[in-house]
Amino acid sequence: MKSIPLLLMGCGGVGRQLLQHIVDTRSLHAKQGLLLRVLGVSDSQIMVIVPDVFTTGLTDMHLTEVCRLKSSGSSLQAMNSFGECQILKSSEVTKRIVDVAALLGRSTGLVLIDCSASSETIGILNRTIDLGCCIVLANKKPLTSQIEDYEKLVSNLCQIRYESTVGAGLPVITSLTRIIASGDTVHCVVGSLSGTLGYVMSELEGGKPFSQVVRAAKSLGYTEPDPRDDLGGMDVARKGLILARLLGLKINMDDIKVDSLYPDEMGPSLMTTEEFLDKGLPSIDTTIAERVKKSSSEGNVLRYVCTIEGSRCQVGLEELPKNTPLGRLRGSDNLVEIYSRCYKELPLVIQGAGAGNDTTAAGVLADIIDLQDRFP
Amino acid sequence: MKSIPLLLMGCGGVGRQLLQHIVDTRSLHAKQGLLLRVLGVSDSQIMVIVPDVFTTGLTDMHLTEVCRLKSSGSSLQAMNSFGECQILKSSEVTKRIVDVAALLGRSTGLVLIDCSASSETIGILNRTIDLGCCIVLANKKPLTSQIEDYEKLVSNLCQIRYESTVGAGLPVITSLTRIIASGDTVHCVVGSLSGTLGYVMSELEGGKPFSQVVRAAKSLGYTEPDPRDDLGGMDVARKGLILARLLGLKINMDDIKVDSLYPDEMGPSLMTTEEFLDKGLPSIDTTIAERVKKSSSEGNVLRYVCTIEGSRCQVGLEELPKNTPLGRLRGSDNLVEIYSRCYKELPLVIQGAGAGNDTTAAGVLADIIDLQDRFP
């Protein structure tokens, strides 16, 4: 039986779902001779870890209890009632992770998984890589940090996987990695990478006012609590940066031109969410309706997309022909078009749900399994 | 520098294109610390191989010459003018491949690549796997052989890759493998897996007669020389069997219900290609036109698809809703819809060119690179 030792940072929705998936797939993976051995789990305050990282792992009962505690908003501190686990304070976590990585890096190997939303993990991820371990990320922030940090992180592509940072479980990174490995030249990538904005743009085609569509999206649970977090385009830009860097562009967040769907004077520092929804949004309705009408009159549709072409990466509204995969997109699916030497006139298209804890955690688990050949 | 020793069986369009890709990507792979060392190349008659399989490989000049000879229809025998290569007769090839696999299997490793169209390679592929080597297939036949042979071939999934057998370079197998590894349950896979039949079905929607559309497809070079090789559906069935088995179905070709687009009495043993095109085809026009009209009147479109659901795998015409990815498909792209726990109401969709030597060979090369962690 091949054993893959894991350490998980981040116990939010995706992290918890990952632990649940690991428990649920035990017998499936055992059939393939694989054992996923979870050594420890940390949130921003506490780490729960087994005392002997060489042979033991948290039991399924431990993992289920971690999920239960975190779902109910309780502290992982309660795990100290299980005598077999050690509980570490947040100040001790980084040192312990590095110690474990140093111990296992050259022997059994280790996968450090980042399901946090922290921008502070880049240091520990880079040290873990240096110690010969692997990392799997659902967290976009380490990949959108400054280019120097990023390049260190991906210096050995065999040690890192991060499929779930773009389009959740959709095989976008995997497909681009394969295309690049085969020597195919990517000319252009265009993607609708926000389910929220995908839904908004396709609803606008029916003639509904922008403000009404955004409010509907909010009540359907498609948007962040403050819809400006979606409408500003920064989340799409982060995904765009990850794809652009994968394609070899040496750029930072600042280099991406991001068109927000609301003007600066309606920003969060100048208006509350309620004011934005009640007064701000309706005042943009006419402008947006005119853009929709104009593109429709030219046989096009308006989409909020990320475009990477040549050395350019930009995020914003684009008029696209109706009879393209992006033009035909409806609802909240993500969709990526990849144009390359092999997919020249008609792109390689990947489409599907690009969000959700279940799907995102499934992508993380597939990444872990994909690393199995690096383990003895 | 990590060295991956390769042996290639099959020097048709895909094999030649693969050799060309290997030459073209030398510097790209060197940057990632990878050297693809082609030890030998065989066609149905001859094998060209380096005398020392431990350290040397065919040079780029050798590989280019192999491509040139095969493109011009010449024999690989001419390679004996290069003193550095050994030339083996077809009767010696199998033994030498097994010898090389035995020598390298437990040391440097080896990838045996099957780009032939032969049903005779299953034996040597299985022996190579047993000797601890890896195999990469563009050849569908070994994967559609009897279930016992298939199960032996895939007994260790880490040693085998075969992305290019379905949809050429499209990441269909890769995506399904990831979905399965993550413990997601696949409920249904529906795919338009023939560019020819995809083109035919979408052209029929415009009201053109079937015979006219097929003749147009033939003159565009979309069909085999005898279009019945496409219209019979057996090639789609072979791809369907590969996907069905990947999903765990223990079935053989005989278990797949295949609906041919022409009746038995127009089969190749009863009619020449010309007779079929001139007399056979037009006599089916009305029947097909009525089916197209009927599905259109119900808001559907007619597609020639492979459907895998539960324990059932079938190939033939299906009426599908217009507003689904398959319903919206136009032209000769392949398209696969995957429905699973994570992609429940709206499927994961992969779409793009599913044929062509360049794309197929790119998929083979990506498979080889994907095996790199198995090499020291």
Side-chain angles (χ1 to χ4, degrees):
Chain A
M1 185 75 85
K2 176 180 284 203
S3 159
I4 306 185
L6 310 172
L7 274 178
L8 170 64
M9 300 189 291
C11 265
V14 173
R16 288 201 308 271
Q17 188 67 67
L18 173 63
L19 296 178
Q20 193 58 55
H21 283 347
I22 289 174
V23 170
D24 293 344
T25 55
R26 281 260 178 256
S27 60
L28 173 82
H29 291 138
K31 267 185 223 158
Q32 291 153 11
L34 275 184
L35 170 68
L36 302 188
R37 194 157 57 84
V38 184
L39 308 179
V41 176
S42 71
D43 61 16
S44 56
Q45 274 126 35
I46 277 173
M47 173 167 236
V48 181
I49 189 166
V50 290
D52 170 11
V53 295
F54 283 102
T55 55
T56 62
L58 295 171
T59 63
D60 287 353
M61 194 184 62
H62 290 139
L63 299 178
T64 308
E65 182 63 11
V66 166
C67 293
R68 198 191 62 78
L69 287 170
K70 292 296 298 184
S71 304
S72 66
S74 310
S75 163
L76 288 183
Q77 188 66 48
M79 291 296 289
N80 64 5
S81 63
F82 292 86
E84 308 93 334
C85 314
Q86 274 190 294
I87 308 286
L88 304 179
K89 289 181 295 187
S90 88
S91 59
E92 302 166 325
V93 170
T94 302
K95 185 178 177 311
R96 180 63 68 91
I97 292 178
V98 174
D99 286 349
V100 173
L103 275 173
L104 302 187
R106 310 286 169 190
S107 55
T108 63
L110 171 74
V111 183
L112 178 62
I113 305 157
D114 187 353
C115 288
S116 76
S118 164
S119 56
E120 308 294 314
T121 56
I122 179 84
I124 194 157
L125 291 169
N126 265 330
R127 289 177 75 178
T128 305
I129 287 276
D130 281 344
L131 289 162
C133 301
C134 297
I135 60 175
V136 170
L137 314 178
N139 181 8
K140 287 187 272 292
K141 302 221 173 105
L143 297 162
T144 55
S145 54
Q146 286 304 103
I147 186 80
E148 298 75 25
D149 283 328
Y150 170 81
E151 290 192 329
K152 196 149 176 266
L153 210 54
V154 301
S155 55
N156 184 351
L157 282 173
C158 293
Q159 287 175 265
I160 180 170
R161 296 287 187 281
Y162 51 97
E163 183 59 88
S164 295
T165 58
V166 178
L170 291 180
V172 178
I173 309 274
T174 303
S175 303
L176 278 171
T177 304
R178 285 182 62 91
I179 288 176
I180 296 164
S182 75
D184 188 6
T185 321
V186 177
H187 306 306
C188 179
V189 173
V190 197
S192 179
L193 298 173
S194 155
T196 316
L197 297 178
Y199 170 84
V200 167
M201 297 320 294
S202 71
E203 286 294 294
L204 288 176
E205 275 171 61
K208 289 181 197 156
F210 183 55
S211 56
Q212 184 187 326
V213 172
V214 172
R215 277 194 295 254
K218 184 171 155 64
S219 64
L220 284 166
Y222 286 175
T223 70
E224 297 294 322
D226 184 343
R228 284 172 293 190
D229 289 345
D230 301 292
L231 301 175
M234 286 312 289
D235 186 58
V236 176
R238 244 174 251 120
K239 294 172 186 169
L241 180 59
I242 291 172
L243 296 183
R245 285 176 166 180
L246 179 61
L247 294 176
L249 267 64
K250 295 186 185 300
I251 58 171
N252 287 311
M253 277 299 279
D254 300 346
D255 300 311
I256 302 181
K257 187 170 162 283
V258 185
D259 291 336
S260 169
L261 282 180
Y262 65 88
D264 287 348
E265 54 270 30
M266 293 184 196
S269 60
L270 301 168
M271 252 184 206
T272 65
T273 306
E274 287 63 40
E275 283 171 339
F276 175 70
L277 287 169
D278 294 342
K279 294 185 189 151
L281 262 181
S283 72
I284 332 174
D285 280 349
T286 319
T287 321
I288 302 259
E290 274 165 9
R291 287 204 65 170
V292 172
K293 208 173 153 189
K294 177 179 162 288
S295 45
S296 169
S297 72
E298 287 161 5
N300 294 327
V301 291
L302 212 53
R303 292 284 179 263
Y304 194 91
V305 291
C306 165
T307 310
I308 304 157
E309 192 166 19
S311 61
R312 177 180 68 104
C313 175
Q314 69 179 48
V315 169
L317 289 175
E318 295 269 357
E319 288 190 21
L320 299 171
K322 265 188 185 134
N323 62 346
T324 60
L326 275 166
R328 287 190 289 262
L329 183 65
R330 293 287 174 283
S332 64
D333 266 2
N334 282 15
L335 191 150
V336 179
E337 296 179 352
I338 302 168
Y339 295 85
S340 70
R341 187 194 70 228
C342 284
Y343 304 98
K344 204 166 189 168
E345 272 132 56
L346 296 171
L348 167 57
V349 180
I350 298 159
Q351 176 182 352
N357 290 339
D358 187 1
T359 314
T360 308
V364 173
L365 184 50
D367 275 353
I368 296 168
I369 302 300
D370 195 38
L371 287 164
Q372 64 179 294
D373 276 340
R374 295 191 68 81
F375 290 80
Chain B
M1 186 74 88
K2 177 181 283 202
S3 158
I4 306 185
L6 310 172
L7 274 179
L8 170 64
M9 301 189 291
C11 263
V14 173
R16 289 201 308 270
Q17 188 65 66
L18 173 64
L19 295 177
Q20 192 57 55
H21 283 345
I22 289 174
V23 170
D24 293 343
T25 54
R26 280 259 179 256
S27 61
L28 172 82
H29 291 138
K31 267 187 222 157
Q32 291 153 10
L34 277 183
L35 170 69
L36 302 188
R37 194 156 59 83
V38 183
L39 308 180
V41 176
S42 70
D43 60 16
S44 56
Q45 274 126 34
I46 277 174
M47 174 168 236
V48 181
I49 188 164
V50 290
D52 170 12
V53 295
F54 283 103
T55 56
T56 62
L58 295 171
T59 64
D60 287 353
M61 194 185 61
H62 290 139
L63 300 178
T64 308
E65 181 63 11
V66 165
C67 293
R68 198 191 62 77
L69 287 170
K70 293 296 297 184
S71 303
S72 65
S74 309
S75 164
L76 288 182
Q77 187 67 48
M79 291 295 291
N80 64 6
S81 63
F82 292 86
E84 307 95 334
C85 312
Q86 276 190 291
I87 308 286
L88 305 179
K89 290 181 296 186
S90 87
S91 60
E92 302 166 326
V93 170
T94 301
K95 184 177 177 311
R96 179 64 66 94
I97 293 178
V98 175
D99 286 349
V100 173
L103 276 173
L104 301 186
R106 309 287 169 189
S107 56
T108 64
L110 171 73
V111 183
L112 178 62
I113 306 156
D114 186 353
C115 288
S116 76
S118 164
S119 56
E120 309 293 315
T121 56
I122 179 84
I124 193 155
L125 291 168
N126 265 330
R127 288 178 74 179
T128 305
I129 287 275
D130 280 345
L131 290 162
C133 301
C134 297
I135 59 175
V136 170
L137 315 178
N139 181 8
K140 286 187 274 292
K141 301 217 175 110
L143 296 162
T144 55
S145 55
Q146 286 304 105
I147 186 79
E148 298 75 23
D149 283 328
Y150 169 82
E151 289 192 329
K152 195 146 177 271
L153 210 56
V154 300
S155 56
N156 184 351
L157 283 173
C158 292
Q159 287 174 265
I160 180 169
R161 296 288 186 278
Y162 51 97
E163 185 59 88
S164 295
T165 58
V166 178
L170 291 180
V172 178
I173 309 274
T174 303
S175 302
L176 277 172
T177 304
R178 285 183 62 92
I179 288 177
I180 296 165
S182 75
D184 189 6
T185 321
V186 177
H187 305 307
C188 179
V189 173
V190 196
S192 179
L193 299 173
S194 155
T196 315
L197 297 178
Y199 170 84
V200 168
M201 297 320 295
S202 71
E203 285 294 295
L204 287 177
E205 274 170 62
K208 290 181 197 155
F210 184 56
S211 56
Q212 184 187 324
V213 172
V214 172
R215 276 192 296 253
K218 184 171 156 66
S219 64
L220 284 164
Y222 286 176
T223 70
E224 297 293 324
D226 183 342
R228 284 172 293 192
D229 289 344
D230 301 291
L231 300 175
M234 286 312 288
D235 186 57
V236 176
R238 244 175 251 121
K239 294 173 186 168
L241 181 59
I242 292 172
L243 296 182
R245 286 175 166 181
L246 178 62
L247 294 176
L249 268 62
K250 295 185 186 301
I251 59 171
N252 286 310
M253 277 299 278
D254 299 347
D255 301 311
I256 302 180
K257 188 171 161 280
V258 186
D259 291 336
S260 168
L261 283 179
Y262 65 88
D264 288 347
E265 56 269 30
M266 294 183 195
S269 59
L270 302 168
M271 252 184 205
T272 66
T273 306
E274 286 63 39
E275 284 170 337
F276 175 70
L277 287 169
D278 294 342
K279 293 184 190 153
L281 262 181
S283 73
I284 334 175
D285 280 350
T286 319
T287 321
I288 302 259
E290 275 166 8
R291 287 205 63 170
V292 172
K293 208 172 153 191
K294 175 179 164 288
S295 45
S296 169
S297 72
E298 288 162 3
N300 294 325
V301 291
L302 213 52
R303 293 285 178 263
Y304 195 91
V305 291
C306 165
T307 310
I308 306 158
E309 191 167 19
S311 60
R312 178 180 69 102
C313 176
Q314 69 179 48
V315 169
L317 289 174
E318 295 268 357
E319 288 189 21
L320 299 171
K322 263 187 187 135
N323 62 346
T324 59
L326 275 166
R328 287 190 291 263
L329 182 65
R330 294 286 174 286
S332 65
D333 266 2
N334 282 14
L335 191 151
V336 179
E337 297 179 351
I338 302 169
Y339 295 85
S340 69
R341 188 193 70 227
C342 285
Y343 303 98
K344 204 163 188 170
E345 271 133 55
L346 296 172
L348 166 58
V349 180
I350 298 159
Q351 177 181 352
N357 291 340
D358 187 1
T359 314
T360 308
V364 173
L365 184 49
D367 275 353
I368 296 169
I369 302 300
D370 194 39
L371 287 165
Q372 65 179 294
D373 276 340
R374 295 190 67 82
F375 290 79

